[in-house]
Amino acid sequence: MLIMLFIGGMKPKWFVFLLVAAAVAVPVMILVEPYRLKRLLAFIDPWASPKDEGYQLIQSLYALGSGGWFGVGLFNSRQKYSFLPFAESDFVFSVIGEETGLVGCLFLMLLFLLVIYRGVKISLNAADKFGSLLCGGIVSIPRDCRCPLSATAARRSLCSCLPQACFSMFRETRRRRPSHIYKRFAIR
């Protein structure tokens, strides 16, 4: 949401106002509900409650740690079977880290940075405001394009992310077509 406001041209003083309001509201919201405070404390020290709130985080750390430098091999993860809850969605990075290791995790982060870089570049070079907002919005929602492990989640993720990326690239090529494609094939 903040990225879309920034791309839309919101003034910096309003961002400061929103950040101050969030800095006041977040602690209040954490203290109002006791489960939020428990989850925050479990995030800070998961071994304080290893069988309750900290279980999922501890299992994800075990998965990342057992991957080592190069991992245990694709589809050879042990943590995703019965140990790591929600391995197909929330903690998929832990499974990727176990299977491909540190090298695979760094490669995946590099790919995400490349997609974000290209999306921002397309957004900044868009021919109109709609194209800029569209590409900026697509880049700002990576949570819908995470790497799924199940076939159903893979179909859903590809069906939602691939058209978005293709549409962004289409808008870029449509804007640049007269300058670099037609001039090359112009009849003289």
Side-chain angles (χ1 to χ4, degrees):
M1 179 177 130
L2 290 177
I3 294 173
M4 291 302 295
L5 292 174
F6 179 73
I7 293 171
M10 186 174 175
K11 294 183 180 178
K13 69 178 183 178
W14 291 108
F15 275 111
V16 172
F17 176 73
L18 282 175
L19 291 176
V20 168
V24 171
V26 167
V28 171
M29 291 173 56
I30 289 173
L31 294 175
V32 168
E33 293 291 333
Y35 79 91
R36 291 181 184 148
L37 185 60
K38 285 182 182 178
R39 290 184 70 180
L40 180 65
L41 292 174
F43 177 74
I44 293 170
D45 184 19
W47 284 274
S49 58
K51 295 193 183 245
D52 202 17
E53 285 90 10
Y55 178 78
Q56 192 169 5
L57 186 56
I58 290 172
Q59 295 301 321
S60 74
L61 291 173
Y62 286 157
L64 279 171
S66 66
W69 284 96
F70 298 104
V72 295
L74 286 178
F75 309 113
N76 290 329
S77 172
R78 292 177 294 277
Q79 287 297 111
K80 71 180 174 185
Y81 299 114
S82 303
F83 296 110
L84 185 61
F86 304 109
E88 73 281 350
S89 60
D90 291 342
F91 283 83
V92 69
F93 189 75
S94 300
V95 175
I96 291 170
E98 183 180 13
E99 292 180 351
T100 62
L102 179 66
V103 174
C105 289
L106 291 175
F107 181 72
L108 180 67
M109 286 190 276
L110 183 70
L111 283 177
F112 274 122
L113 287 174
L114 181 68
V115 168
I116 291 169
Y117 170 75
R118 287 292 297 153
V120 168
K121 188 174 177 185
I122 292 170
S123 178
L124 291 174
N125 294 328
D128 55 352
K129 189 74 165 179
F130 174 73
S132 177
L133 290 171
L134 178 74
C135 294
I138 289 171
V139 169
S140 68
I141 51 171
R143 61 181 168 76
D144 292 335
C145 300
R146 57 183 164 225
C147 301
L149 292 180
S150 66
T152 306
R155 281 194 300 269
R156 183 177 62 236
S157 179
L158 282 176
C159 289
S160 68
C161 296
L162 194 59
Q164 292 173 358
C166 290
F167 190 71
S168 294
M169 296 298 173
F170 170 74
R171 285 196 61 83
E172 181 191 29
T173 57
R174 196 176 95 189
R175 185 188 72 80
R176 291 183 356 185
R177 183 175 294 148
S179 62
H180 80 284
I181 293 178
Y182 285 157
K183 285 182 183 176
R184 194 178 315 166
F185 299 108
I187 299 174
R188 297 177 190 195

